[in-house]
Amino acid sequence: RLLLGLQNCVQIFTVLWSYSLNNPATSTRHTNQSTQQQPKVTEDKSAKLSIEKPSYIDAAHAMPIPRSPKLTSQKSPRSPPKAESDNPLTSLMGKVHEAIVETSTAIQGQVRAAIPVTESRPTSAPVVVSTEKPLSSVDPEVWAGIEHVLTTLESADKEGIMDCYEELFELAAEDDAVAARLYDESNLVDMLLQAIQHYIEHPELLELAYQLLVCVTKHNKLGVMYAGAVEQTIAVMQNWQSEPHVLSRVLEFLFEIASEITKEGAKKISDCGCLSWVLSSMRGHPLDLEIQSFGCLLIANVAIHNGMVQDHIAKLGGIKLCVGALKKNTQDFNMQVHACMALRALASDNADNHKTFVSCGGLKVLRTFVNQHPNDWMLQTIGSDLDTAESSCRCIIV
């Protein structure tokens, strides 16, 4: 913000400086003039100042960087401009301009020097490092212990791998900096995916592996996605539709991928055939709160403002499943809210899906639930979006 303010100041002072050079009428406004009346504005302002914009654009701020712009103007016919050395305003503006440019350059250098340069691990896919704490905030003794666990993990058997996963999960869940550093400075993601593939017949290990993978994924969703985790997860869902503990962790992982801000993760999930298995998991465990909750959140992220995905989920029975989740799990408020979010993503801007939503009794169930919480602003907003008449008029639920 400070740099942007300085850049704007430079531009303003540059214009004032140029105007003082090329329009001497400002400094001789009160001098004696001939008694002949002349037009007030027409001739004086016929000479307009034009600034040639620099071609270089700062990509970070999308603003022109002041680079001594060339100033051109039409000369006033009344009197020649004063020499630069004879104009005190020109001298003052020049000094101010130079001071601001020097300050701006110095601050830019300090900012660049303060930004740490980190080396990302080699990968063919783009890696985005996102940490809430700096990597140096991890206690050296703690990290030394983690390195020992990672070394043990490389040669451990099934029981040893599970013990290592539990220990790493406890540390990563407690400290976000540990989870971020596990991604940036180790090959834990690769080891997790290899173990998931090798031990796909062992649900206890899969549950622990996905539990740890979720912690790491929160800090680099795209990096984990590009490693092939989504495709591998489909095989796990196909193999363990009867195991709710595995499915709940898998759906939590997919939800993290789908919540990626650029929506690449949501597109990946919808394109790779994963949604049919997500809905199958919800259908097979209608009373499991974690499966229903993460399934609804995943649907909400994938379907929002995407008509093709909305239609695809509706054909697979997704609307009825979300209505069923809202109707059956009345003991859990958060789960019901997640079901409402999924229904809004599927039906609020899709006429055909809205008809399906109404015909399966969803609107009635929604009104009952929303009316029970009149002071919940988010629920009232969702209710307003879904309680839509055939004329497309929005009706606020009271």
Side-chain angles (χ1 to χ4, degrees):
R1 292 179 180 176
L2 180 59
L3 290 177
L4 291 177
L6 289 172
Q7 290 174 359
N8 292 334
C9 288
V10 169
Q11 292 176 350
I12 292 172
F13 281 118
T14 301
V15 173
L16 291 175
W17 183 15
S18 171
Y19 188 74
S20 67
L21 279 174
N22 298 291
N23 194 354
T26 57
S27 60
T28 59
R29 184 176 300 174
H30 299 292
T31 58
N32 295 329
Q33 298 182 4
S34 67
T35 57
Q36 184 178 359
Q37 188 175 359
Q38 297 188 15
K40 294 182 179 180
V41 179
T42 307
E43 290 185 9
D44 292 346
K45 298 203 174 180
S46 62
K48 293 185 178 180
L49 183 67
S50 63
I51 301 178
E52 180 181 326
K53 296 181 179 180
S55 59
Y56 178 75
I57 302 296
D58 183 7
H61 305 292
M63 286 186 60
I65 294 181
R67 289 185 144 200
S68 303
K70 297 179 181 179
L71 305 176
T72 59
S73 65
Q74 296 179 357
K75 304 299 182 180
S76 173
R78 294 190 175 182
S79 59
K82 289 185 178 182
E84 184 172 350
S85 59
D86 296 336
N87 194 332
L89 180 61
T90 298
S91 177
L92 176 61
M93 290 299 143
K95 293 179 180 179
V96 172
H97 178 274
E98 292 175 359
I100 292 178
V101 171
E102 283 184 15
T103 305
S104 176
T105 304
I107 293 177
Q108 288 181 12
Q110 293 176 4
V111 169
R112 291 192 185 98
I115 297 176
V117 179
T118 58
E119 294 183 2
S120 59
R121 65 194 187 106
T123 176
S124 58
V127 175
V128 181
V129 177
S130 173
T131 58
E132 296 183 2
K133 296 182 179 180
L135 300 182
S136 59
S137 65
V138 181
D139 186 88
E141 294 184 2
V142 173
W143 185 248
I146 291 174
E147 289 181 329
H148 175 71
V149 173
L150 292 172
T151 303
T152 304
L153 184 60
E154 294 178 355
S155 58
D157 57 6
K158 176 193 164 187
E159 297 300 326
I161 290 175
M162 293 176 64
D163 292 339
C164 291
Y165 285 173
E166 288 180 347
E167 187 173 351
L168 291 174
F169 172 73
E170 290 178 2
L171 294 170
E174 183 179 348
D175 191 346
D176 288 338
V178 170
R181 193 166 177 178
L182 278 171
Y183 181 88
D184 293 326
E185 299 188 13
S186 74
N187 60 339
L188 178 62
V189 172
D190 296 331
M191 289 192 291
L192 284 170
L193 295 181
Q194 291 172 7
I196 290 171
Q197 183 177 7
H198 185 72
Y199 294 101
I200 197 170
E201 300 296 332
H202 301 272
E204 298 88 358
L205 188 145
L206 292 176
E207 182 182 356
L208 292 173
Y210 273 101
Q211 189 173 249
L212 180 56
L213 187 60
V214 167
C215 289
V216 179
T217 301
K218 290 179 180 179
H219 297 276
N220 200 320
K221 297 177 174 62
L222 286 180
V224 176
M225 183 191 76
Y226 287 130
V230 175
E231 293 85 351
Q232 201 161 328
T233 299
I234 297 176
V236 174
M237 287 194 292
Q238 290 173 343
N239 206 51
W240 291 107
Q241 281 292 303
S242 61
E243 182 53 56
H245 297 294
V246 175
L247 291 176
S248 59
R249 299 284 73 79
V250 166
L251 292 177
E252 183 181 7
F253 164 71
L254 290 175
F255 163 67
E256 288 293 339
I257 294 292
S259 62
E260 194 274 321
I261 194 169
T262 67
K263 294 301 179 184
E264 287 189 44
K267 186 177 185 303
K268 181 71 172 179
I269 291 173
S270 61
D271 290 346
C272 70
C274 192
L275 290 174
S276 61
W277 291 105
V278 171
L279 297 178
S280 178
S281 302
M282 295 176 65
R283 190 177 291 109
H285 305 275
L287 299 180
D288 189 290
L289 294 178
E290 281 195 309
I291 290 178
Q292 296 298 317
S293 185
F294 284 123
C296 288
L297 287 172
L298 177 58
I299 290 173
N301 276 346
V302 173
I304 187 71
H305 304 315
N306 191 324
M308 293 182 63
V309 175
Q310 293 168 2
D311 294 339
H312 178 60
I313 293 176
K315 290 179 181 178
L316 295 174
I319 295 177
K320 294 181 180 179
L321 281 174
C322 293
V323 171
L326 176 61
K327 186 186 300 184
K328 296 175 183 177
N329 297 285
T330 56
Q331 74 277 19
D332 192 279
F333 172 78
N334 290 331
M335 196 273 112
Q336 289 183 294
V337 172
H338 297 161
C340 291
M341 294 169 65
L343 289 169
R344 177 173 63 174
L346 289 170
S348 64
D349 58 351
N350 189 310
D352 293 335
N353 285 0
H354 189 270
K355 291 179 181 178
T356 303
F357 165 69
V358 174
S359 64
C360 69
L363 186 58
K364 181 179 179 180
V365 177
L366 176 78
R367 284 173 173 169
T368 301
F369 176 58
V370 172
N371 288 337
Q372 293 172 354
H373 306 278
N375 297 323
D376 192 298
W377 176 84
M378 184 174 68
L379 271 182
Q380 294 298 319
T381 302
I382 294 174
S384 175
D385 289 341
L386 285 171
D387 187 20
T388 307
E390 292 184 1
S391 59
S392 298
C393 295
R394 304 270 178 176
C395 304
I396 305 222
I397 297 178
V398 180

